[in-house]
Short mmCIF file of all heavy atoms in Angstrom, two decimals:
data_model
loop_
_atom_site.label_atom_id
_atom_site.label_comp_id
_atom_site.label_asym_id
_atom_site.label_seq_id
_atom_site.Cartn_x
_atom_site.Cartn_y
_atom_site.Cartn_z
N HIS A 374 178.29 51.22 104.28
CA HIS A 374 177.23 50.47 103.62
C HIS A 374 175.94 51.30 103.68
O HIS A 374 175.57 51.79 104.74
CB HIS A 374 177.03 49.13 104.35
CG HIS A 374 175.92 48.29 103.79
ND1 HIS A 374 174.64 48.30 104.31
CD2 HIS A 374 175.90 47.41 102.77
CE1 HIS A 374 173.88 47.46 103.62
NE2 HIS A 374 174.62 46.91 102.68
N SER A 375 175.30 51.47 102.55
CA SER A 375 174.06 52.23 102.52
C SER A 375 172.93 51.35 102.02
O SER A 375 173.11 50.52 101.12
CB SER A 375 174.19 53.48 101.63
OG SER A 375 174.27 53.12 100.27
N GLU A 376 171.76 51.53 102.61
CA GLU A 376 170.59 50.76 102.21
C GLU A 376 169.34 51.60 102.42
O GLU A 376 169.33 52.54 103.21
CB GLU A 376 170.50 49.45 103.00
CG GLU A 376 170.46 49.64 104.50
CD GLU A 376 170.54 48.32 105.25
OE1 GLU A 376 170.90 47.30 104.64
OE2 GLU A 376 170.23 48.31 106.46
N VAL A 377 168.30 51.25 101.68
CA VAL A 377 167.02 51.93 101.83
C VAL A 377 166.00 50.94 102.38
O VAL A 377 166.11 49.73 102.16
CB VAL A 377 166.51 52.51 100.49
CG1 VAL A 377 167.39 53.65 100.02
CG2 VAL A 377 166.43 51.42 99.42
N ALA A 378 165.04 51.47 103.10
CA ALA A 378 164.00 50.64 103.69
C ALA A 378 162.71 50.80 102.92
O ALA A 378 162.29 51.92 102.59
CB ALA A 378 163.79 51.02 105.15
N SER A 379 162.09 49.69 102.60
CA SER A 379 160.77 49.72 101.98
C SER A 379 159.72 49.98 103.07
O SER A 379 159.66 49.25 104.06
CB SER A 379 160.48 48.39 101.29
OG SER A 379 159.14 48.31 100.89
N LEU A 380 158.93 51.01 102.89
CA LEU A 380 157.94 51.36 103.90
C LEU A 380 156.78 50.36 103.94
O LEU A 380 156.04 50.29 104.93
CB LEU A 380 157.39 52.76 103.63
CG LEU A 380 158.43 53.89 103.64
CD1 LEU A 380 157.75 55.23 103.39
CD2 LEU A 380 159.19 53.92 104.95
N GLN A 381 156.64 49.57 102.87
CA GLN A 381 155.55 48.61 102.82
C GLN A 381 155.85 47.36 103.64
O GLN A 381 155.10 46.95 104.51
CB GLN A 381 155.24 48.22 101.37
CG GLN A 381 154.54 49.29 100.56
CD GLN A 381 155.47 50.44 100.17
OE1 GLN A 381 156.66 50.21 99.97
NE2 GLN A 381 154.93 51.64 100.09
N ASN A 382 157.01 46.73 103.37
CA ASN A 382 157.31 45.46 104.05
C ASN A 382 158.54 45.54 104.95
O ASN A 382 159.02 44.50 105.42
CB ASN A 382 157.51 44.34 103.01
CG ASN A 382 158.56 44.71 101.98
OD1 ASN A 382 159.40 45.58 102.20
ND2 ASN A 382 158.51 44.04 100.84
N LYS A 383 159.05 46.74 105.16
CA LYS A 383 160.20 46.97 106.05
C LYS A 383 161.48 46.30 105.54
O LYS A 383 162.46 46.19 106.29
CB LYS A 383 159.91 46.47 107.47
CG LYS A 383 158.59 46.96 108.07
CD LYS A 383 158.55 48.47 108.19
CE LYS A 383 157.24 48.92 108.84
NZ LYS A 383 157.14 50.38 108.90
N GLU A 384 161.49 45.85 104.31
CA GLU A 384 162.67 45.19 103.77
C GLU A 384 163.77 46.21 103.48
O GLU A 384 163.51 47.28 102.92
CB GLU A 384 162.31 44.44 102.49
CG GLU A 384 163.47 43.71 101.85
CD GLU A 384 163.10 43.07 100.53
OE1 GLU A 384 161.94 43.26 100.08
OE2 GLU A 384 163.95 42.39 99.94
N HIS A 385 165.01 45.87 103.84
CA HIS A 385 166.15 46.74 103.57
C HIS A 385 166.89 46.24 102.34
O HIS A 385 167.18 45.04 102.22
CB HIS A 385 167.09 46.76 104.78
CG HIS A 385 166.58 47.59 105.91
ND1 HIS A 385 167.35 48.48 106.61
CD2 HIS A 385 165.34 47.67 106.46
CE1 HIS A 385 166.63 49.07 107.55
NE2 HIS A 385 165.41 48.59 107.49
N MET A 386 167.21 47.16 101.42
CA MET A 386 167.92 46.81 100.19
C MET A 386 169.17 47.65 100.05
O MET A 386 169.14 48.88 100.20
CB MET A 386 167.00 47.03 98.98
CG MET A 386 165.76 46.17 98.96
SD MET A 386 164.58 46.65 97.68
CE MET A 386 164.00 48.22 98.35
N THR A 387 170.29 46.99 99.76
CA THR A 387 171.57 47.68 99.61
C THR A 387 171.56 48.55 98.36
O THR A 387 171.15 48.10 97.29
CB THR A 387 172.73 46.68 99.54
OG1 THR A 387 172.78 45.94 100.76
CG2 THR A 387 174.05 47.39 99.32
N THR A 388 172.01 49.79 98.50
CA THR A 388 172.13 50.69 97.34
C THR A 388 173.57 50.94 96.95
O THR A 388 173.89 51.04 95.77
CB THR A 388 171.45 52.04 97.64
OG1 THR A 388 172.10 52.66 98.76
CG2 THR A 388 169.98 51.83 97.97
N ASN A 389 174.46 51.07 97.93
CA ASN A 389 175.87 51.37 97.66
C ASN A 389 176.75 50.76 98.74
O ASN A 389 176.33 50.57 99.88
CB ASN A 389 176.14 52.87 97.65
CG ASN A 389 175.29 53.63 96.67
OD1 ASN A 389 174.17 53.97 96.96
ND2 ASN A 389 175.85 53.92 95.51
N ILE A 390 178.01 50.51 98.35
CA ILE A 390 179.07 50.21 99.31
C ILE A 390 180.25 51.11 98.95
O ILE A 390 180.67 51.16 97.79
CB ILE A 390 179.48 48.74 99.28
CG1 ILE A 390 178.31 47.86 99.75
CG2 ILE A 390 180.70 48.49 100.18
CD1 ILE A 390 178.59 46.38 99.69
N PHE A 391 180.75 51.83 99.93
CA PHE A 391 181.80 52.82 99.71
C PHE A 391 183.08 52.37 100.43
O PHE A 391 183.01 51.82 101.54
CB PHE A 391 181.40 54.19 100.26
CG PHE A 391 180.07 54.69 99.76
CD1 PHE A 391 178.88 54.28 100.34
CD2 PHE A 391 180.02 55.60 98.72
CE1 PHE A 391 177.66 54.75 99.89
CE2 PHE A 391 178.80 56.09 98.25
CZ PHE A 391 177.62 55.66 98.85
N HIS A 392 184.22 52.64 99.81
CA HIS A 392 185.51 52.31 100.42
C HIS A 392 186.36 53.59 100.46
O HIS A 392 186.64 54.18 99.40
CB HIS A 392 186.23 51.22 99.63
CG HIS A 392 185.47 49.93 99.57
ND1 HIS A 392 185.51 48.99 100.57
CD2 HIS A 392 184.64 49.42 98.62
CE1 HIS A 392 184.75 47.97 100.25
NE2 HIS A 392 184.20 48.21 99.07
N PHE A 393 186.78 53.97 101.65
CA PHE A 393 187.61 55.17 101.83
C PHE A 393 188.88 54.80 102.60
O PHE A 393 188.81 54.04 103.57
CB PHE A 393 186.86 56.24 102.64
CG PHE A 393 185.55 56.68 102.03
CD1 PHE A 393 184.35 56.25 102.56
CD2 PHE A 393 185.53 57.51 100.92
CE1 PHE A 393 183.13 56.65 102.02
CE2 PHE A 393 184.32 57.91 100.35
CZ PHE A 393 183.12 57.48 100.91
N THR A 394 190.00 55.33 102.15
CA THR A 394 191.25 55.18 102.87
C THR A 394 191.64 56.53 103.45
O THR A 394 191.77 57.51 102.71
CB THR A 394 192.37 54.68 101.94
OG1 THR A 394 191.94 53.48 101.29
CG2 THR A 394 193.64 54.39 102.74
N PHE A 395 191.80 56.57 104.76
CA PHE A 395 192.17 57.80 105.47
C PHE A 395 193.56 57.65 106.08
O PHE A 395 194.02 56.53 106.34
CB PHE A 395 191.16 58.12 106.58
CG PHE A 395 189.79 58.46 106.09
CD1 PHE A 395 188.79 57.48 106.04
CD2 PHE A 395 189.47 59.75 105.69
CE1 PHE A 395 187.52 57.77 105.60
CE2 PHE A 395 188.19 60.06 105.24
CZ PHE A 395 187.22 59.07 105.20
N MET A 396 194.20 58.79 106.31
CA MET A 396 195.47 58.82 107.00
C MET A 396 195.32 59.71 108.22
O MET A 396 194.84 60.84 108.12
CB MET A 396 196.58 59.34 106.09
CG MET A 396 197.98 59.26 106.70
SD MET A 396 199.25 59.92 105.59
CE MET A 396 199.32 58.61 104.38
N SER A 397 195.69 59.19 109.38
CA SER A 397 195.57 59.92 110.63
C SER A 397 196.89 60.62 110.96
O SER A 397 197.95 60.30 110.40
CB SER A 397 195.19 58.96 111.76
OG SER A 397 194.96 59.66 112.96
N GLU A 398 196.83 61.57 111.88
CA GLU A 398 198.04 62.29 112.29
C GLU A 398 199.03 61.35 112.98
O GLU A 398 200.24 61.52 112.85
CB GLU A 398 197.66 63.43 113.24
CG GLU A 398 196.82 64.52 112.61
CD GLU A 398 197.60 65.39 111.66
OE1 GLU A 398 198.85 65.42 111.78
OE2 GLU A 398 196.98 66.02 110.78
N ASN A 399 198.52 60.37 113.72
CA ASN A 399 199.37 59.47 114.48
C ASN A 399 199.00 58.02 114.17
O ASN A 399 197.96 57.75 113.55
CB ASN A 399 199.20 59.72 115.99
CG ASN A 399 199.47 61.17 116.36
OD1 ASN A 399 200.52 61.72 116.07
ND2 ASN A 399 198.48 61.81 116.99
N ASN A 400 199.84 57.08 114.61
CA ASN A 400 199.52 55.67 114.46
C ASN A 400 198.22 55.36 115.21
O ASN A 400 197.94 55.93 116.26
CB ASN A 400 200.65 54.80 114.99
CG ASN A 400 201.82 54.75 114.02
OD1 ASN A 400 201.78 55.37 112.95
ND2 ASN A 400 202.86 54.02 114.38
N VAL A 401 197.44 54.43 114.66
CA VAL A 401 196.13 54.12 115.22
C VAL A 401 196.12 52.68 115.73
O VAL A 401 196.97 51.87 115.37
CB VAL A 401 195.03 54.32 114.15
CG1 VAL A 401 194.98 55.76 113.70
CG2 VAL A 401 195.25 53.38 112.97
N PRO A 402 195.15 52.33 116.59
CA PRO A 402 195.06 50.96 117.10
C PRO A 402 194.80 49.95 115.99
O PRO A 402 194.28 50.29 114.92
CB PRO A 402 193.89 51.02 118.08
CG PRO A 402 193.71 52.46 118.41
CD PRO A 402 194.14 53.22 117.20
N LEU A 403 195.15 48.70 116.26
CA LEU A 403 194.78 47.62 115.36
C LEU A 403 193.30 47.30 115.56
O LEU A 403 192.75 47.48 116.65
CB LEU A 403 195.62 46.38 115.64
CG LEU A 403 197.12 46.51 115.42
CD1 LEU A 403 197.84 45.24 115.88
CD2 LEU A 403 197.44 46.80 113.96
N VAL A 404 192.66 46.83 114.50
CA VAL A 404 191.25 46.44 114.59
C VAL A 404 191.17 44.93 114.44
O VAL A 404 191.80 44.34 113.55
CB VAL A 404 190.40 47.19 113.54
CG1 VAL A 404 190.80 46.81 112.13
CG2 VAL A 404 188.92 46.93 113.76
N PHE A 405 190.43 44.27 115.33
CA PHE A 405 190.34 42.81 115.33
C PHE A 405 188.90 42.36 115.11
O PHE A 405 187.97 42.84 115.76
CB PHE A 405 190.83 42.25 116.68
CG PHE A 405 192.31 42.05 116.74
CD1 PHE A 405 193.16 43.12 116.93
CD2 PHE A 405 192.86 40.77 116.61
CE1 PHE A 405 194.53 42.93 117.00
CE2 PHE A 405 194.23 40.58 116.67
CZ PHE A 405 195.08 41.67 116.86
N PRO A 406 188.70 41.40 114.18
CA PRO A 406 187.36 40.84 113.98
C PRO A 406 187.06 39.77 115.02
O PRO A 406 187.96 39.10 115.52
CB PRO A 406 187.46 40.22 112.58
CG PRO A 406 188.91 39.85 112.44
CD PRO A 406 189.69 40.88 113.23
N ARG A 407 185.79 39.62 115.35
CA ARG A 407 185.36 38.58 116.28
C ARG A 407 184.68 37.42 115.57
O ARG A 407 184.85 36.26 115.93
CB ARG A 407 184.39 39.16 117.31
CG ARG A 407 185.04 39.55 118.61
CD ARG A 407 183.99 39.95 119.63
NE ARG A 407 184.58 40.15 120.94
CZ ARG A 407 183.95 40.66 121.98
NH1 ARG A 407 182.70 41.02 121.85
NH2 ARG A 407 184.56 40.79 123.13
N THR A 408 183.88 37.73 114.56
CA THR A 408 183.10 36.71 113.86
C THR A 408 183.71 36.42 112.50
O THR A 408 184.59 37.15 112.02
CB THR A 408 181.66 37.17 113.67
OG1 THR A 408 181.64 38.30 112.77
CG2 THR A 408 181.04 37.59 115.00
N TYR A 409 183.20 35.35 111.86
CA TYR A 409 183.67 35.03 110.52
C TYR A 409 183.30 36.13 109.53
O TYR A 409 184.10 36.50 108.66
CB TYR A 409 183.08 33.70 110.05
CG TYR A 409 183.65 33.23 108.73
CD1 TYR A 409 184.89 32.60 108.66
CD2 TYR A 409 182.96 33.45 107.53
CE1 TYR A 409 185.42 32.18 107.45
CE2 TYR A 409 183.48 33.04 106.32
CZ TYR A 409 184.71 32.40 106.29
OH TYR A 409 185.24 32.01 105.09
N GLY A 410 182.10 36.68 109.68
CA GLY A 410 181.68 37.76 108.79
C GLY A 410 182.59 38.97 108.92
O GLY A 410 182.97 39.59 107.91
N GLU A 411 182.94 39.34 110.15
CA GLU A 411 183.86 40.45 110.35
C GLU A 411 185.24 40.13 109.80
O GLU A 411 185.94 41.02 109.30
CB GLU A 411 183.95 40.79 111.84
CG GLU A 411 182.71 41.47 112.38
CD GLU A 411 182.84 41.83 113.85
OE1 GLU A 411 183.78 41.33 114.51
OE2 GLU A 411 182.01 42.62 114.34
N SER A 412 185.63 38.86 109.86
CA SER A 412 186.93 38.47 109.29
C SER A 412 186.96 38.69 107.79
O SER A 412 187.97 39.10 107.22
CB SER A 412 187.21 37.00 109.61
OG SER A 412 187.32 36.78 111.01
N MET A 413 185.82 38.43 107.14
CA MET A 413 185.75 38.67 105.69
C MET A 413 185.81 40.18 105.40
O MET A 413 186.42 40.60 104.41
CB MET A 413 184.47 38.07 105.11
CG MET A 413 184.39 36.54 105.20
SD MET A 413 185.79 35.68 104.42
CE MET A 413 186.82 35.32 105.86
N LEU A 414 185.17 40.99 106.25
CA LEU A 414 185.27 42.44 106.10
C LEU A 414 186.70 42.90 106.26
O LEU A 414 187.18 43.79 105.53
CB LEU A 414 184.37 43.14 107.12
CG LEU A 414 182.86 43.08 106.89
CD1 LEU A 414 182.13 43.78 108.03
CD2 LEU A 414 182.49 43.71 105.56
N TYR A 415 187.41 42.30 107.22
CA TYR A 415 188.82 42.66 107.45
C TYR A 415 189.66 42.35 106.20
O TYR A 415 190.46 43.18 105.75
CB TYR A 415 189.34 41.88 108.65
CG TYR A 415 190.79 42.17 108.98
CD1 TYR A 415 191.14 43.17 109.88
CD2 TYR A 415 191.82 41.43 108.40
CE1 TYR A 415 192.47 43.44 110.18
CE2 TYR A 415 193.14 41.69 108.69
CZ TYR A 415 193.47 42.69 109.57
OH TYR A 415 194.79 42.96 109.87
#
Side-chain angles (χ1 to χ4, degrees):
H374 178 265
S375 70
E376 57 187 15
V377 292
S379 170
L380 300 181
Q381 286 74 31
N382 54 20
K383 310 299 183 183
E384 180 184 3
H385 284 225
M386 297 170 290
T387 298
T388 61
N389 303 83
I390 295 177
F391 307 82
H392 299 277
F393 302 105
T394 306
F395 294 96
M396 186 181 287
S397 185
E398 295 288 338
N399 304 304
N400 283 1
V401 298
L403 297 174
V404 64
F405 274 77
R407 263 187 172 171
T408 66
Y409 186 80
E411 288 181 347
S412 297
M413 295 303 99
L414 287 178
Y415 180 91

